[in-house]
Amino acid sequence: MDRLAGKVAVITGGAGGFGAAAARLFVEEGGKVLAVDRDAEALGRLEAEIGGDSFAVYAADITQADQVDAYTAAAADRFGGIDIALLNAGVTGPKTLLEDYPVEAFDQVLAINLRGAWLGLRAVIPYMKRRGGGSVVVTSSIQGLSAIPGTSGYTTTKHAVIGMMKGAALELAAHNIRVNTVNPGYGDTPMMQRIHAAAAPGNPGAVEVALSQEVPMRRYARADEVARLMLFLASDASSYCTGAAYPVDGGILASWAKTPD
Amino acid sequence: MARLDKKACLVTGGASGIGLAAAQVFAREGGKVMIADRNQAALDAAVAANPGLIPYAVDVSDPAEVEAMVRAAVDRLGGVEVAVLNAGVGSAGTPLDGHSIEDFDRVIGVNLRGVWLCLRELVKVMKPRGRGSIMLTASIHGHAARTLASPYTTAKHGLVGMAKGAALELAAHGVRVNTVDPGFTDTPLLAGALSAIVPGDAEAGAAVLSRAIPMRRLGRPEEVAEVMLFLASDESSYCTGASFAVDGGVLAAWGPTPD
């Protein structure tokens, strides 16, 4: 398959669950991919797995503007330009009620999930304008459209990137650059495994069983199911899609109560 | 690789515009496709141009005809795995206080009740088989409003709620339900509206309307059909109860956008 033939993609959070799944799929579809992550070891493992001339990795802290400039330049140097940016790096932050939520933790969640995405968005625009177009996909969340108590930092940032995406879509529509969010629900990712372990150190599996009951489909997403939506939005198949948020959540957002078996 | 290998697909409002484009894309991807429409002449023309499509004449506002349509689809296709409930009509461009009740009833009868009738019959077929993907063609008018389109806006908002409720009921049965929300798309349905913007000159009307679209152009039916293909295929296996806009950025904006 060649749905991204000739396209260059930068993926932040590229060594994580959704990011790595997207990296595999984008390469499979003929794209050239630079995976960016702060975890150099995980990047190394992914590089060993995917290999080939169409895949490269770059260790960077996406909260630092100079490192954002460096990873975008690295993608353009290595592969000749940038057509697709999947701004996917994110952290969940603590699960703590508002009055106990540490200010430092809030600042860190904002720095990564919001400011890091904004820096990435801002940095890829000149590259995409030079190519005459592009597609930016920002990983938001079901928490970009609804909230879970005790996650004020995460919920705030995931709502905020939707606003950021809409504004960018309007600014860039006339330049043939499309900007959208994907809004995953619970996914089969290392991030969720960390949440399970934090919630029930003795029995993390029970957390997944319980959370799955909140999902109308009664299961988590596989990372590749989220990656397929990212692929659709990255590819020219979505040529009239911009400024919109696309859930991939097994029905969670449609519901406000438990659903029947 | 065919993305809808031998899948049985039913598209209502399938003889023209977005429905026909979806039918063509589904057939290209290996699907077996029945197009249902109330316009026999349009069905004949569509099948003449696309010999693989199976035509079916139906008025989706009639429960007996809808039941017969789904039965025919099951007979001819061996079941229904993908359904695009896309039949719809525009409403008269009149202010609310002067809007005729007959026009309201007509638009709701097709765009809302007609879709619900189809959905209800399809559930009976899909639920026992434990799989399926249903799409309702809503609209940007399902999420925001323009003046002078009260029945249309009401019906399209209703479809968004209908899809969510059906998605929840059917999630445990392997059947997914979503809406596709086109913006201003170059279809026969829009043609009348375009001619009203600049009287008698659809092309000039399209130019005026395009100024209000961030992407500065109308959507092509094939671009909407690509979203429908994603939702029809197993690539969207975790997507249900959601709305998929394909609108060139219209819903993201509430004011003019820069060149």
Side-chain angles (χ1 to χ4, degrees):
Chain A
M1 297 282 278
D2 54 0
R3 286 152 73 182
L4 298 182
K7 307 246 192 202
V8 178
V10 178
I11 302 178
T12 69
F18 298 144
R24 290 182 193 101
L25 188 60
F26 286 13
V27 169
E28 208 177 291
E29 292 289 342
K32 297 185 187 331
V33 175
L34 183 77
V36 179
D37 206 290
R38 63 179 168 177
D39 185 341
E41 267 179 50
L43 283 175
R45 285 194 296 275
L46 192 64
E47 192 175 26
E49 179 207 317
I50 297 178
D53 296 334
S54 297
F55 183 71
V57 299
Y58 195 95
D61 176 352
I62 55 120
T63 66
Q64 303 302 313
D66 58 335
Q67 296 191 42
V68 173
D69 290 341
Y71 79 65
T72 47
D77 287 347
R78 173 72 188 258
F79 296 124
I82 299 174
D83 305 288
I84 296 160
L86 173 53
L87 303 173
N88 169 75
V91 294
T92 50
K95 175 123 168 117
T96 312
L97 293 178
L98 203 47
E99 64 266 36
D100 303 321
Y101 203 104
V103 175
E104 302 71 29
F106 183 82
D107 290 342
Q108 195 208 12
V109 172
L110 254 70
I112 296 168
N113 294 7
L114 189 55
R115 192 164 178 275
W118 187 82
L119 290 173
L121 171 64
R122 186 168 166 275
V124 296
I125 291 169
Y127 291 99
M128 291 185 177
K129 281 188 174 170
R130 227 169 285 150
R131 303 275 264 199
S135 174
V136 180
V137 181
V138 183
T139 303
S140 175
S141 165
I142 48 172
Q143 285 176 258
L145 296 162
S146 66
I148 295 175
T151 65
S152 57
Y154 191 77
T155 303
T156 301
T157 58
K158 293 300 180 180
H159 273 69
V161 294
I162 292 177
M164 178 184 87
M165 167 278 286
K166 288 182 181 173
L170 301 183
E171 279 192 35
L172 298 168
H175 298 275
N176 197 30
I177 299 169
R178 301 180 294 102
V179 190
N180 295 286
T181 65
V182 293
N183 296 72
Y186 299 126
D188 166 14
T189 63
M191 182 188 269
M192 283 308 297
Q193 283 159 18
R194 287 191 291 273
I195 289 171
H196 299 159
N203 190 3
V207 183
E208 175 165 351
V209 171
L211 289 180
S212 294
Q213 286 301 308
E214 294 175 9
V215 184
M217 279 191 169
R218 298 285 189 274
R219 65 176 178 88
Y220 281 25
R222 298 186 312 272
D224 73 276
E225 291 179 296
V226 176
R228 288 188 186 280
L229 177 58
M230 293 166 166
L231 168 66
F232 172 72
L233 292 171
S235 77
D236 292 337
S238 58
S239 53
Y240 202 59
C241 297
T242 197
Y246 296 87
V248 46
D249 70 347
I252 288 178
L253 286 171
S255 147
W256 48 261
K258 190 165 182 331
T259 52
D261 282 312
Chain B
M1 197 174 70
R3 289 156 69 186
L4 296 182
D5 192 27
K6 296 193 179 61
K7 272 197 180 160
C9 309
L10 172 66
V11 182
T12 69
S16 66
I18 290 167
L20 179 58
Q24 289 166 331
V25 170
F26 291 180
R28 180 194 83 199
E29 295 293 337
K32 298 179 287 182
V33 186
M34 174 179 275
I35 52 171
D37 207 289
R38 63 174 172 173
N39 185 337
Q40 184 66 55
L43 280 172
D44 293 343
V47 172
N50 305 273
L53 302 178
I54 301 166
Y56 190 88
V58 66
D59 174 355
V60 295
S61 65
D62 181 318
E65 289 196 26
V66 168
E67 197 185 336
M69 170 188 73
V70 172
R71 208 178 323 118
V74 170
D75 288 347
R76 299 287 297 276
L77 307 173
V80 181
E81 292 162 284
V82 172
V84 182
L85 305 182
N86 170 76
V89 293
S91 55
T94 39
L96 193 51
D97 47 3
H99 213 111
S100 82
I101 295 171
E102 292 72 25
D103 191 63
F104 179 84
D105 290 341
R106 178 184 67 90
V107 173
I108 298 298
V110 175
N111 293 9
L112 197 55
R113 186 168 178 270
V115 173
W116 188 82
L117 292 173
C118 294
L119 178 63
R120 184 167 166 274
E121 286 309 311
L122 285 163
V123 168
K124 296 176 191 172
V125 173
M126 289 184 175
K127 206 168 155 179
R129 300 201 184 189
R131 57 179 289 128
S133 173
I134 300 174
M135 283 153 263
L136 316 186
T137 304
S139 165
I140 48 174
H141 293 82
H143 299 271
R146 278 167 79 89
T147 54
L148 309 184
S150 172
Y152 190 79
T153 305
T154 303
K156 293 299 185 180
H157 271 70
L159 292 181
V160 174
M162 191 190 297
K164 289 180 183 174
L168 300 182
E169 276 194 40
L170 297 167
H173 300 276
V175 180
R176 301 181 293 105
V177 188
N178 294 284
T179 69
V180 175
D181 301 276
F184 299 103
T185 310
D186 187 9
T187 63
L189 182 65
L190 188 67
L194 293 180
S195 300
I197 295 172
V198 178
D201 188 344
E203 205 170 304
V208 171
L209 186 56
S210 294
R211 293 292 308 160
I213 302 169
M215 284 181 102
R216 298 284 190 271
R217 63 175 179 87
L218 303 181
R220 296 186 298 272
E222 311 85 74
E223 293 179 296
V224 181
E226 286 291 340
V227 179
M228 292 171 165
L229 171 62
F230 172 74
L231 290 170
S233 77
D234 294 338
E235 291 169 36
S236 57
S237 51
Y238 202 63
C239 297
T240 196
S243 289
F244 289 73
V246 47
D247 70 349
V250 168
L251 285 174
W254 47 263
T257 54
D259 284 312

XYZ file of all heavy atoms in Angstrom, chain B residues 180-217:
264
model
N -21.593 11.205 9.229
C -20.648 11.936 8.384
C -21.273 13.307 8.167
O -22.478 13.404 7.892
C -20.424 11.214 7.044
C -19.546 12.037 6.122
C -19.815 9.836 7.297
N -20.469 14.348 8.336
C -21.017 15.700 8.322
C -20.381 16.546 7.233
O -19.433 17.284 7.473
C -20.811 16.326 9.699
C -21.491 15.511 10.779
O -22.690 15.703 10.979
O -20.827 14.645 11.375
N -20.947 16.430 6.032
C -20.389 17.226 4.939
C -20.695 18.704 5.121
O -21.714 19.076 5.718
C -21.131 16.696 3.703
C -21.837 15.458 4.134
C -22.074 15.597 5.598
N -19.806 19.519 4.597
C -20.081 20.947 4.488
C -20.755 21.209 3.152
O -21.565 20.406 2.682
N -20.422 22.328 2.556
C -21.031 22.682 1.272
C -20.353 21.857 0.182
O -19.177 22.041 -0.108
C -20.895 24.179 1.030
C -21.586 24.994 2.080
C -20.862 25.633 3.090
C -22.971 25.088 2.109
C -21.511 26.360 4.083
C -23.628 25.815 3.092
C -22.894 26.451 4.088
N -21.115 20.944 -0.381
C -20.555 19.975 -1.316
C -21.231 20.135 -2.665
O -22.435 20.413 -2.739
C -20.776 18.541 -0.764
O -20.333 18.519 0.597
C -19.987 17.514 -1.549
N -20.446 19.967 -3.695
C -20.896 20.186 -5.065
C -21.823 19.052 -5.510
O -21.391 18.101 -6.139
C -19.637 20.255 -5.943
C -19.970 20.650 -7.359
O -21.126 21.034 -7.620
O -19.064 20.564 -8.211
N -23.088 19.150 -5.143
C -24.073 18.100 -5.421
C -25.349 18.723 -6.000
O -25.560 19.932 -5.880
C -24.497 17.369 -4.129
O -25.146 18.320 -3.269
C -23.303 16.772 -3.404
N -26.216 17.871 -6.570
C -27.513 18.391 -7.045
C -28.311 19.071 -5.927
O -29.017 20.052 -6.171
C -28.230 17.125 -7.539
C -27.130 16.190 -7.910
C -26.018 16.465 -6.944
N -28.187 18.553 -4.678
C -28.939 19.148 -3.577
C -28.526 20.605 -3.362
O -29.344 21.455 -3.042
C -28.709 18.343 -2.286
C -29.465 18.789 -1.036
C -30.972 18.624 -1.217
C -29.020 17.986 0.180
N -27.233 20.882 -3.528
C -26.739 22.244 -3.297
C -27.028 23.159 -4.490
O -27.114 24.383 -4.338
C -25.227 22.215 -3.028
C -24.595 23.537 -2.575
C -25.091 23.936 -1.186
C -23.070 23.464 -2.567
N -27.204 22.562 -5.676
C -27.322 23.373 -6.886
C -28.423 24.427 -6.782
O -28.225 25.582 -7.164
C -27.550 22.464 -8.092
N -29.563 24.024 -6.220
C -30.668 24.962 -6.084
C -30.299 26.137 -5.192
O -30.586 27.300 -5.502
N -29.623 25.819 -4.088
C -29.225 26.869 -3.150
C -28.229 27.825 -3.804
O -28.269 29.036 -3.583
C -28.620 26.237 -1.893
N -27.331 27.278 -4.609
C -26.331 28.126 -5.272
C -27.002 29.103 -6.221
O -26.622 30.277 -6.305
C -25.321 27.261 -6.040
C -24.406 26.375 -5.202
C -23.475 25.580 -6.111
C -23.590 27.206 -4.212
N -28.018 28.624 -6.933
C -28.716 29.494 -7.883
C -29.490 30.595 -7.179
O -29.832 31.611 -7.778
C -29.671 28.674 -8.749
O -28.962 27.711 -9.467
N -29.780 30.373 -5.881
C -30.515 31.390 -5.138
C -29.588 32.494 -4.629
O -30.028 33.612 -4.375
C -31.270 30.743 -3.969
N -28.290 32.183 -4.455
C -27.356 33.181 -3.909
C -27.162 34.313 -4.900
O -27.269 35.492 -4.578
C -26.001 32.515 -3.544
C -26.202 31.505 -2.407
C -24.991 33.581 -3.114
C -24.972 30.657 -2.114
N -26.836 33.943 -6.141
C -26.806 34.923 -7.237
C -27.837 34.415 -8.245
O -27.583 33.450 -8.952
C -25.407 34.999 -7.897
C -25.421 35.987 -9.050
C -24.341 35.356 -6.865
N -29.018 35.061 -8.256
C -30.148 34.493 -8.997
C -29.768 34.023 -10.403
O -29.249 34.783 -11.208
C -31.151 35.648 -9.032
C -30.863 36.411 -7.775
C -29.375 36.307 -7.574
N -29.997 32.726 -10.629
C -29.806 32.170 -11.959
C -28.364 31.854 -12.324
O -28.097 31.336 -13.399
N -27.408 32.139 -11.428
C -26.002 31.912 -11.780
C -25.325 31.071 -10.692
O -24.764 31.594 -9.729
C -25.291 33.258 -11.952
C -23.862 33.083 -12.512
O -23.343 31.959 -12.465
O -23.299 34.084 -12.977
N -25.403 29.748 -10.867
C -24.887 28.830 -9.843
C -23.384 28.994 -9.649
O -22.872 28.887 -8.530
C -25.222 27.386 -10.218
N -22.683 29.268 -10.718
C -21.221 29.394 -10.616
C -20.840 30.611 -9.775
O -19.958 30.535 -8.910
C -20.635 29.515 -12.021
C -19.192 29.042 -12.103
C -18.719 28.956 -13.559
O -19.379 28.252 -14.343
O -17.727 29.622 -13.877
N -21.511 31.721 -10.010
C -21.259 32.919 -9.206
C -21.679 32.668 -7.759
O -21.016 33.125 -6.817
C -22.023 34.112 -9.782
N -22.775 31.925 -7.586
C -23.219 31.574 -6.241
C -22.173 30.755 -5.511
O -21.893 30.970 -4.329
N -21.560 29.813 -6.222
C -20.521 28.979 -5.620
C -19.325 29.820 -5.205
O -18.712 29.590 -4.153
C -20.096 27.886 -6.604
N -18.998 30.826 -6.013
C -17.861 31.695 -5.692
C -18.136 32.489 -4.422
O -17.259 32.643 -3.557
C -17.569 32.629 -6.863
N -19.369 32.989 -4.299
C -19.737 33.750 -3.096
C -19.678 32.843 -1.866
O -19.100 33.190 -0.834
C -21.154 34.353 -3.247
C -21.642 34.946 -1.923
C -21.163 35.412 -4.343
N -20.273 31.662 -1.992
C -20.308 30.729 -0.870
C -18.895 30.300 -0.471
O -18.570 30.178 0.716
C -21.159 29.506 -1.248
C -21.424 28.480 -0.152
C -22.075 29.125 1.068
C -22.308 27.364 -0.689
N -18.046 30.095 -1.448
C -16.683 29.642 -1.171
C -15.901 30.641 -0.324
O -14.997 30.260 0.418
C -15.931 29.370 -2.485
O -16.516 28.275 -3.153
N -16.248 31.904 -0.434
C -15.573 32.926 0.385
C -15.807 32.664 1.878
O -15.015 33.098 2.718
C -16.079 34.337 0.045
C -15.718 34.835 -1.333
C -14.239 35.095 -1.518
N -13.669 35.959 -0.480
C -12.378 36.038 -0.186
N -11.510 35.280 -0.847
N -11.935 36.840 0.759
N -16.913 32.001 2.195
C -17.249 31.740 3.598
C -16.647 30.430 4.096
O -16.812 30.070 5.256
C -18.766 31.721 3.764
N -15.964 29.711 3.229
C -15.375 28.414 3.592
C -13.877 28.606 3.782
O -13.214 29.148 2.891
C -15.636 27.375 2.468
C -17.141 27.224 2.231
C -14.988 26.029 2.818
C -17.496 26.434 0.993
N -13.329 28.208 4.950
C -11.882 28.409 5.136
C -11.039 27.867 3.986
O -10.072 28.506 3.584
C -11.610 27.686 6.459
C -12.890 27.869 7.224
C -13.978 27.748 6.185
N -11.404 26.720 3.414
C -10.633 26.186 2.295
C -10.957 26.848 0.972
O -10.339 26.541 -0.053
C -10.801 24.667 2.180
C -10.020 23.891 3.223
S -10.209 22.093 3.067
C -8.684 21.700 2.290
N -11.944 27.754 0.979
C -12.265 28.575 -0.191
C -12.741 27.791 -1.411
O -12.560 28.224 -2.548
C -11.040 29.420 -0.631
C -10.556 30.402 0.407
C -11.483 31.611 0.476
N -10.885 32.668 1.305
C -11.061 32.751 2.627
N -11.816 31.866 3.263
N -10.497 33.736 3.308
N -13.333 26.648 -1.153
C -13.918 25.888 -2.268
C -14.968 24.947 -1.711
O -14.985 24.638 -0.515
C -12.848 25.087 -3.025
C -12.154 24.019 -2.187
C -11.196 23.193 -3.041
N -10.502 22.189 -2.255
C -10.959 20.954 -2.006
N -12.147 20.570 -2.464
N -10.257 20.105 -1.289
